Each structure stands twice: as structure tokens, then as C-alpha cells.
Amino acid sequence: MAFPDTFDSSRSLSATYPRVDSRHVTLVILLLLVLIAAGSIYFQNRLPAVVPATAPPSEFSAARAFAQLRAISAEPHPIGSQAHINLRDYLVSELSKLGLTPSRQQSTAVNVKRAAPFAAGNVENILVRIPGTANSRAVLLVSHYDSVPTSFGAGDDGAGVATLLETARAIKSGPPLKNDVILLFTDGEEVGLLGARAFVNEHPWSKDVGLFLNFEARGNGGPVFMFETTNGNGDLIRQFEKSSPVPRASSFFREIYKLLPNDTDFTVLKALDAQGMNFAFLSGINHYHTSLDRPEELDLRTLQQQGSHALNLTQHFGNLDLKNMRDNDVVYFDVIGQVLFTYSKFWILPLLALTTLLFAFVVVRGIVTKELRVKGMLIGVVALVGGIIFSAGICWVIWFLTQTLFRSVPWSEPYHSNPLRLGFVLLTFAAMSLIYLLLRNKVNALSLMVGACFVWLLLSIATSVAIPGGSYLFTIPLLLTCVGLSFVLVSKARREFKTYLLILFTGVPVIVLWSPLVYNLFVALTVNGVSMVVTFVVLPLGLLLPLIVSAISARRWMVPAALACVSLVLLLGSILVSGFDQQHPKANNIFYALNADTGKAMFASSDQAADEWTSQFLSTGIERGTMKEFFPRNNRIFIKSQATAAALATPEATLISDSRENGMRTVTLHLASQRNAPVLAIYTEGDTEILDASIDGKQVMPAGKGSVPMRDWAIQFHGLPERGVDLVLKTKSEAPYKVLLVDRSYGLVDTGNAMVSRASHIISSPHPTSDASFVAKSFDF
């Protein structure tokens, strides 16, 4: 078989090599690339075997940790609940059984980093210190022990809490470490990272920390990734490479995470004069913040891997001098979860320069030998960019049309999502194959490939400047591709051989680096991010498909047709099997709200429509609209229906003092929930501008505001004590103003007909108003 559209025939030698059936060779190469992609994804996501409870005491055993997890996540335990208090006491007891002396840090913490309503709360961190023999600086292990109201919190973050307990037990059973080890169980993470703020700002041990490890989760399983570090991570990463049992990490994850609005306790802990690493597992987002997040749903292999990280790293860093760990940042990435590669950021620009020179050589050499055509390369650029837009557009339309079917699934991620992901990937293959088949007889494959390389070069330049930690994804594959292209353009080997060699030389490194990335991006971004993920599918195809398509000799149109058919079968099949049952329940949302000013009450939901469960509350007179009388800063549209006004005690505001001095009015209020609700929201209304505010002595104004007034000041206080809190507001206006108080209790309340408690088959949607009861009352001052 000849390849007339791959390389210029003038460059080939006469047929002095033995002929082979090129169709068979092409098929073998394609199967090899598919196997490499599947193997890369498998090894990247492979989990260890669970170590049994009978293992030696010095080992981390997920079986032993799971026994702790059953107690930790026996029920939802949000801040301010009785279950939360019970868990606090349980942790203190378990730490004491290990021969340790735990302490409790009580504080009022405030978070004003985001827009009002600001977060505040009465938190209680749990700490314990294991003394070392020759402490340089301490190793700090961190997990939060509160959950959201609608979740048992097994993954988020019961797994982290159980990991810390089992790690402490293993450390105590072995030889002592040189450095002190501090275990910090933070409170109030879910409502604003409050416990971490209290530790960083107020606890004396925060000054002793040299290294901190934070353990988080957003699901119920999958590999544990080290996805974030502090700045100056060179020495940190080198030590991580030496000590990590499974070094799954990438500086690309770190760069991307910095661009996202997500936060963990690690965000606050970065203020410490210490180095740190952030760990999380991401698979199973349907479990995140829902009642599916139960101990029996957690993958114990994931718990084993997380525990191995915690114990190995603690033992390693526990015997190092942690006084001077800060070093220049490095680029780092693992290859299929087995080996961690690192290099200094100093090499980013030299590698980029070398790649650019090689690319320039390829272009010049190709034009001189007439194997590349300028028009063909330009078409290659348009084909790749157009392919991204076309493929992303198709996938977005399909997902948009089917998403309505998944509105009742947590996070709009179907329960059986892997077939859906594969379907979108194969559909992208089909779209790109179609594009390159249409161009096959107009442009030679080499020109199309070099045009795609130019797009990669632009991305390599952009990432080297904007997100240097992710530059390796483009620079290294492009560098190797240019090396292969240079060989092809100077070699006098037969063109079939050069085609196969170039496919392998380009395909293997691209597939090994990019196929696990695409899969894990799909997991991290969920199917909702399909358009972005498809971009990462198309880019490597631009380097490979021109050559592969050119090597297909017969029935070429069968390729995109077959891929499209298989993808549609996978997409439709995933939709059809994504029904609801006991193991895969439907998500819904319901809450009760009483306006004490008007005496009117309602049931309401943030769902699009009432279903068979919520319709028992939203049966007649359903309206749509905002609920400004309860949530003044929220423009969300709710469905709501009138309800019987329950005999609920209202929140209370008592004027303590009202003084005026130098044109400033200072009002001090004592606020409380007469029904002992754990959450109290406070809103100032009208045209009053707040110059300063504090609650229980802690300022509640954004940093840098100074005397700049705020008209829409508001705060949500979590873990409200029975005694209440004191609020101080300062204004310049002499006019009276209104304060709206809305207290919130977990679960529904007795409306006079029957007590409606949390139903076990309800899975909350991710809205903050899920399965709760609100009472609102306004006051004039």
C-alpha cells in the first residue's frame, strides 16, 4: 500500500525493503495505542489492597480506620448540632485512649473573604501533640470533623478524621520521631473554613509548624491526588518523591486549582510560615454533600491509599530538619501514577526555546524539500481550532438536551457516568476523523500535523508564561514530536516506515501523559465540564489523526461512522440506565419558612418542580419567586406553597446600648434564638451604611474597607450558643434602621399536622437551604 498523501514521493527510496500488508500494521499500531491509553488510565487510577485489622500495629490499616469511620459518620454532624457535640467528645475520648492529651480550642471565628453574608461561628477545634525526640519544627496533620447538614460526611471529611486517628495510633506504636507531630481536627470548615482561621490567627502551636498535610474529599473513592502545595515547593516535592508510596501529583493541578473559586482549610493554612501539601480523592461526586456519603459507600482502598500517604509522609518529614524547607518552585508530574518527574522552573524557557528552534527547523526543512506546504499548514491550524469548536459544540448541545433528565441527580452527574464520558470521547474522535478525512485528498498529512504543532507551540508559549506549572503538558510532547518530524524530514527510510515510526514516537508520550489527564479532568469537572474536557481530547488528536487517517487504506468513512454509532449507543445507554432506585436515589429539596412579622408560613424548594416526595408539601397554590423576606441577598427563584404557621419561638434582638459620639452612632445588640437554632443570619436593611461591625468582639468587615461604609452588610453565624451573641454596629446616620434576623434549624418542624423529620431517602441538592426550617423576624433600631 502506498501513502501518496503522507510524504512527498520524491523523498522515498526505491522498494528495497520487504513489503508487509500496511493494513495489518496500521491495525496493530492503533490497537497498541488504544492499549497504551487504557493501561495509562488503569495504572493512574489503580488502588492498593486493603491492609487488614490483623496487620502489625506499626502499619496503617484501612480496616482499623473503617471501624473509626463507622462511629465518626454514624449520622450527619453539622456545626451546632448535638451529633457534632457527640463526635467532638468521641474524638477526645479516642485520642485519650492512645495515651495522648487532647485539647480543645474554643473561639469565635470570622470569614470576610467573600461577599456578604459573611461567615462567622462559634468553633471548637481539637488538637493533640505527639512529642518528638529532637524537634526542629512540627509536622501538622489536618482534617475537619464537621459535615454539611444533609450528609453523613464519610468521605468529606470522615475519611480524613479516621486517617488521622489511625496514623496517630501507628506512630505511637512505633519508634518516636525526631519532630513533634500535631493532629488538628478543625471545626466549621463547611461553613467558611472557620476552625482553620481560629488556629492560624490565635493558637500558639501555629507558630511551631514546619510542614502541614491537609486531607480532603469530594466523593467516595478513586485515587488520592496531591493537588496543591505552598509556594517555594522545590525541596518539598523532592522529599515527596522520596517518601510517597504512590506519587500521584501534578503542578498542572496546582495551577488550575489556583484559578478556581474552591477553598479548603489548606487555603487558610497557607498563611503559616510553613510548607504544605493538600490531598483529596474525587470520584463519586454523587456522594458529595448528600446522604449517600455514608461509611458503607466509601471505597476502603481509597482510605488505605490516603492513610499510606499520611503515615509515610509523617514518618519521613518527622525525621527531617524542617527549619529551612523553602526552595524555588518546580514543575512536577507523575507518569501513570508510578514515577514522579520534576525539574526546576528555570528550565521552562530553555525547553520552550529548544522546542521553538526544532519546530522552525521542521518548517524550513519541510518547505525546502517540498514535503510541507504553507497553505497546508494553515489549513492544519484551522482544522485543529475548528475541530475544537465543532467537537465541543456538538458535545455541549447533546449534554444540554439531556441534562434536563439529570436535574434530580446530585450535581447533575448521572450515576453511571463512565459510559457517558467514553461516549463523548468517541464522538469527539468521530468528529475529528470526519474533518481529517474531508481534508485527506486536499492537504498532505504532514502539513496538517505541522499546522497542529503550531497550535501546540502557541499553547506551550502561553502556558509557560501564564501557568508555568502546566507547561510540561504542551512543551514535552511537542518537543518529542518535533524530534520525530526532524528525523522524518532528514531520513531516507521508506515512507511507510517513517509514518509508523512517527505515529509511535508522537503517540506514546502524548497518550501516556494525556489519556489519564483527560479521564481525571472528566472526573474533576464532571460531565457538566464536557466542553472543556473535549478540548483536551482534540488537542492530541491533532498530532495523531492526520497520520492515522492517511494510513487507512479501505472503507475510510467507516471509521467516523462506526465511532459515532458506538458513541451514540453509549450516550443513550447511559441515559436509559440512569434511573432511580434505593442505591441511586433521586435528589430533592424542601424547607419550611415562617415569617413572624406577618404570621405567614410556607414550604419552599429550590427544585425546578415538585416531585412525588415534595408534592406532599407543595400540593396547592404553588408559586414561583424569590424569598427576599428570608434571604434578602439571594435572587434565586423558589417554588413555594402556603403552610400552617407553626408555634415557633422567634429570634430575639435586645438593645444593650445606643450611643452617639463625634457624629457616629454605635448600637450594641444581644441576639439569640429562643428555639436554640444553631444558625442565625443577620441582615441590615434600608439605606443605612455600616461603617464598622463586630460580633462577640471579632470584627466583621472586609480587610481594607476601613471607614468605607457597607450598605448591604450581612452575616451568618453558625454554632450559635444558647446564650446568644453580641453585635456592635457603627453608622453615621441618625435615622432608625431595620435589622432582619433569620434563624435556621436542621430538618423540618411540626406544622400542627404531623412531625416531618429528615427522610432517609431524601438526598439534598447542593443548595444551602436544604431540609431546614427558618424563622424570620425584623427589628427597628
Side-chain angles (χ1 to χ4, degrees), residues 590-594 601-604 643-646 648 748-749 751 772-774:
I590 192 72
F591 60 92
Y592 177 81
L594 170 66
M602 66 183 69
F603 282 113
T644 302
L648 297 178
L748 302 180
V749 298
T751 62
S773 300
F774 298 84

Side-chain angles (χ1 to χ4, degrees), residues 12 55 75 136 176 221 237 266 269 293 306 314 347 405 434 484 527 547 580 599 620 645 683 685 699 744:
S12 63
E75 57 183 323
S136 60
I237 294 299
F266 190 89
L269 295 170
D293 193 12
Q306 179 168 267
T314 301
W347 290 105
L405 300 175
L434 177 63
V527 184
L547 295 176
F580 304 113
T620 58
Y683 303 89
E685 297 186 311
Q699 188 177 38
R744 171 189 175 186

Side-chain angles (χ1 to χ4, degrees), residues 88-235:
R88 177 203 66 192
D89 295 340
Y90 174 81
L91 294 176
V92 171
S93 173
E94 291 300 301
L95 291 168
S96 299
K97 290 178 183 177
L98 295 176
L100 301 172
T101 306
S103 61
R104 303 194 319 219
Q105 179 197 8
Q106 295 179 316
S107 176
T108 296
V110 174
N111 184 350
V112 293
K113 294 297 183 181
R114 296 189 177 179
F118 305 122
N122 187 39
V123 296
E124 195 163 357
N125 294 331
I126 303 168
L127 301 98
V128 72
R129 190 164 187 153
I130 305 174
T133 58
N135 184 49
S136 60
R137 300 190 73 187
V139 176
L140 175 69
L141 305 183
V142 186
S143 287
H144 68 88
Y145 75 96
D146 62 311
S147 75
V148 295
T150 53
S151 171
F152 292 80
D156 181 23
D157 194 20
V161 173
T163 293
L164 265 60
L165 289 175
E166 173 66 5
T167 299
R169 187 209 53 76
I171 291 173
K172 285 285 291 181
S173 67
L177 305 177
K178 290 182 179 180
N179 294 321
D180 293 356
V181 175
I182 300 172
L183 273 63
L184 170 62
F185 303 88
T186 60
D187 192 7
E189 190 272 352
E190 296 290 2
V191 296
L193 319 177
L194 299 180
R197 291 186 183 280
F199 175 77
V200 170
N201 295 332
E202 300 174 18
H203 203 284
W205 288 0
S206 65
K207 306 297 188 295
D208 301 337
V209 177
L211 173 84
F212 58 93
L213 309 174
N214 186 58
F215 296 95
E216 261 290 358
R218 197 217 60 182
N220 72 321
V224 177
F225 291 98
M226 195 280 285
F227 67 97
E228 186 181 14
T229 72
T230 46
N231 293 326
N233 61 21
D235 189 36

